[in-house]
Amino acid sequence: MYGFARREFTMTLLRRMADYQPELVRNAYTRLGATKADYLAAFNRWQTMLHSPRAPRGLDLLHAVLGPEDHLEAVRLGDVTATVCHWRLPLWPDLRWQAIVGAANVVIDGTLARGPDTPTPPLPETPAPWSCVVADTLARWPDARQVDPEVPARWLVETDRHRLWFTHGLLQRVDDRDD
């Protein structure tokens, strides 16, 4: 493998999702025309780039991997202005890889998010895996509480009835709350 592009980057996202949804992941990399070996090789290559002293960093790394942004905009976050960058990915036509970029092109956060031109879908009381992103659930349940589970690439949203687990911003699992 000589290049790295949006297809391979998408496969790197799938690696952490396989912890929750192995069957969805298997179907996804097959739709991308990849084998399990291809998908695991893409993840390993991405990890090598992240840890290489010669690889670009921050936004420069995303540009090297994903190319130019499909959409970008400046946003105010308190007293500072950040740039929100979006790239389309092959598996999820309504979603984008979103990077929030601060000073010196440092990537503050990266996650799957609904595209700026895509409406939020109506969500049932118990949404299905891969049917929504964090912002969709917060629109559906405005009183929900966000919890950082302190695990890289994971996020938790708690509603009155459910715990919704996300990987890279995409819903993976819904648990009933017992408390």
Side-chain angles (χ1 to χ4, degrees), residues 156 158-165 173-179:
L156 173 62
E158 293 182 336
T159 70
D160 291 342
R161 296 183 54 201
H162 300 297
R163 285 189 176 90
L164 298 100
W165 294 91
R173 188 176 86 203
V174 178
D175 296 330
D176 291 333
R177 288 190 60 172
D178 295 329
D179 50 49

Short mmCIF file of all heavy atoms in Angstrom, two decimals, residues 156 158-165 173-179:
data_model
loop_
_atom_site.label_atom_id
_atom_site.label_comp_id
_atom_site.label_asym_id
_atom_site.label_seq_id
_atom_site.Cartn_x
_atom_site.Cartn_y
_atom_site.Cartn_z
N LEU A 156 -20.19 9.08 25.44
CA LEU A 156 -21.42 8.57 26.04
C LEU A 156 -22.41 9.71 26.21
O LEU A 156 -22.04 10.79 26.66
CB LEU A 156 -21.09 7.94 27.40
CG LEU A 156 -22.25 7.49 28.29
CD1 LEU A 156 -23.06 6.40 27.61
CD2 LEU A 156 -21.72 7.02 29.64
N GLU A 158 -26.19 10.26 28.00
CA GLU A 158 -27.19 9.66 28.87
C GLU A 158 -28.48 10.45 28.80
O GLU A 158 -28.49 11.66 28.97
CB GLU A 158 -26.69 9.64 30.32
CG GLU A 158 -25.51 8.73 30.53
CD GLU A 158 -25.04 8.68 31.97
OE1 GLU A 158 -25.29 9.65 32.73
OE2 GLU A 158 -24.42 7.67 32.34
N THR A 159 -29.58 9.74 28.51
CA THR A 159 -30.92 10.32 28.54
C THR A 159 -31.61 9.79 29.79
O THR A 159 -31.03 9.01 30.55
CB THR A 159 -31.73 9.95 27.28
OG1 THR A 159 -32.06 8.57 27.33
CG2 THR A 159 -30.95 10.27 26.00
N ASP A 160 -32.87 10.16 29.98
CA ASP A 160 -33.62 9.64 31.12
C ASP A 160 -33.71 8.12 31.09
O ASP A 160 -33.74 7.48 32.13
CB ASP A 160 -35.04 10.22 31.14
CG ASP A 160 -35.05 11.70 31.48
OD1 ASP A 160 -34.05 12.19 32.01
OD2 ASP A 160 -36.07 12.35 31.19
N ARG A 161 -33.77 7.54 29.88
CA ARG A 161 -34.01 6.10 29.75
C ARG A 161 -32.82 5.29 29.25
O ARG A 161 -32.79 4.08 29.41
CB ARG A 161 -35.18 5.87 28.81
CG ARG A 161 -36.48 6.45 29.36
CD ARG A 161 -37.65 6.16 28.49
NE ARG A 161 -37.77 4.73 28.23
CZ ARG A 161 -38.43 4.22 27.22
NH1 ARG A 161 -39.04 5.02 26.37
NH2 ARG A 161 -38.50 2.92 27.04
N HIS A 162 -31.86 5.94 28.59
CA HIS A 162 -30.82 5.20 27.89
C HIS A 162 -29.42 5.76 28.11
O HIS A 162 -29.25 6.94 28.42
CB HIS A 162 -31.06 5.20 26.38
CG HIS A 162 -32.36 4.60 25.96
ND1 HIS A 162 -32.68 3.29 26.16
CD2 HIS A 162 -33.42 5.16 25.33
CE1 HIS A 162 -33.88 3.05 25.69
NE2 HIS A 162 -34.36 4.17 25.18
N ARG A 163 -28.45 4.88 27.87
CA ARG A 163 -27.05 5.27 27.70
C ARG A 163 -26.72 4.96 26.25
O ARG A 163 -26.86 3.81 25.82
CB ARG A 163 -26.15 4.47 28.63
CG ARG A 163 -26.21 4.92 30.06
CD ARG A 163 -25.12 4.24 30.90
NE ARG A 163 -25.14 4.76 32.23
CZ ARG A 163 -25.88 4.26 33.22
NH1 ARG A 163 -26.61 3.20 33.02
NH2 ARG A 163 -25.85 4.80 34.41
N LEU A 164 -26.29 5.97 25.51
CA LEU A 164 -25.96 5.81 24.10
C LEU A 164 -24.46 5.92 23.94
O LEU A 164 -23.87 6.96 24.28
CB LEU A 164 -26.68 6.88 23.27
CG LEU A 164 -28.21 6.80 23.33
CD1 LEU A 164 -28.75 7.84 24.30
CD2 LEU A 164 -28.80 6.99 21.97
N TRP A 165 -23.85 4.85 23.43
CA TRP A 165 -22.40 4.76 23.30
C TRP A 165 -21.99 5.05 21.86
O TRP A 165 -22.55 4.48 20.92
CB TRP A 165 -21.91 3.38 23.70
CG TRP A 165 -22.12 3.09 25.14
CD1 TRP A 165 -23.21 2.51 25.72
CD2 TRP A 165 -21.23 3.41 26.20
NE1 TRP A 165 -23.04 2.45 27.08
CE2 TRP A 165 -21.83 2.98 27.41
CE3 TRP A 165 -19.97 4.01 26.25
CZ2 TRP A 165 -21.22 3.13 28.64
CZ3 TRP A 165 -19.36 4.16 27.49
CH2 TRP A 165 -19.97 3.72 28.66
N ARG A 173 -24.08 1.59 20.38
CA ARG A 173 -24.87 0.72 21.27
C ARG A 173 -25.78 1.59 22.13
O ARG A 173 -25.40 2.69 22.54
CB ARG A 173 -23.93 -0.08 22.16
CG ARG A 173 -24.61 -1.14 22.98
CD ARG A 173 -23.62 -1.96 23.75
NE ARG A 173 -23.34 -1.26 25.02
CZ ARG A 173 -22.24 -1.45 25.72
NH1 ARG A 173 -21.29 -2.25 25.30
NH2 ARG A 173 -22.05 -0.82 26.85
N VAL A 174 -26.96 1.05 22.45
CA VAL A 174 -27.90 1.71 23.34
C VAL A 174 -28.20 0.75 24.47
O VAL A 174 -28.61 -0.39 24.24
CB VAL A 174 -29.20 2.10 22.61
CG1 VAL A 174 -30.19 2.75 23.58
CG2 VAL A 174 -28.91 3.02 21.43
N ASP A 175 -27.96 1.19 25.70
CA ASP A 175 -28.27 0.40 26.91
C ASP A 175 -29.38 1.10 27.68
O ASP A 175 -29.41 2.32 27.75
CB ASP A 175 -27.05 0.31 27.83
CG ASP A 175 -25.88 -0.44 27.20
OD1 ASP A 175 -26.14 -1.35 26.38
OD2 ASP A 175 -24.74 -0.12 27.56
N ASP A 176 -30.28 0.31 28.27
CA ASP A 176 -31.29 0.87 29.17
C ASP A 176 -30.60 1.30 30.46
O ASP A 176 -29.67 0.64 30.92
CB ASP A 176 -32.37 -0.16 29.49
CG ASP A 176 -33.24 -0.48 28.28
OD1 ASP A 176 -33.36 0.39 27.40
OD2 ASP A 176 -33.77 -1.59 28.24
N ARG A 177 -31.07 2.41 31.01
CA ARG A 177 -30.52 2.86 32.30
C ARG A 177 -31.25 2.15 33.42
O ARG A 177 -32.47 2.07 33.43
CB ARG A 177 -30.70 4.37 32.44
CG ARG A 177 -29.76 5.12 31.53
CD ARG A 177 -29.73 6.57 31.80
NE ARG A 177 -29.28 6.81 33.17
CZ ARG A 177 -29.01 8.00 33.63
NH1 ARG A 177 -29.14 9.07 32.87
NH2 ARG A 177 -28.63 8.18 34.87
N ASP A 178 -30.49 1.66 34.37
CA ASP A 178 -31.07 0.94 35.49
C ASP A 178 -31.20 1.83 36.72
O ASP A 178 -31.87 1.47 37.68
CB ASP A 178 -30.21 -0.27 35.85
CG ASP A 178 -30.19 -1.30 34.74
OD1 ASP A 178 -31.20 -1.40 34.01
OD2 ASP A 178 -29.17 -1.98 34.61
N ASP A 179 -30.54 2.97 36.70
CA ASP A 179 -30.56 3.80 37.92
C ASP A 179 -31.67 4.82 37.90
O ASP A 179 -32.37 5.08 37.05
CB ASP A 179 -29.22 4.53 38.11
CG ASP A 179 -28.73 5.25 36.88
OD1 ASP A 179 -29.49 5.99 36.26
OD2 ASP A 179 -27.56 5.02 36.53
#
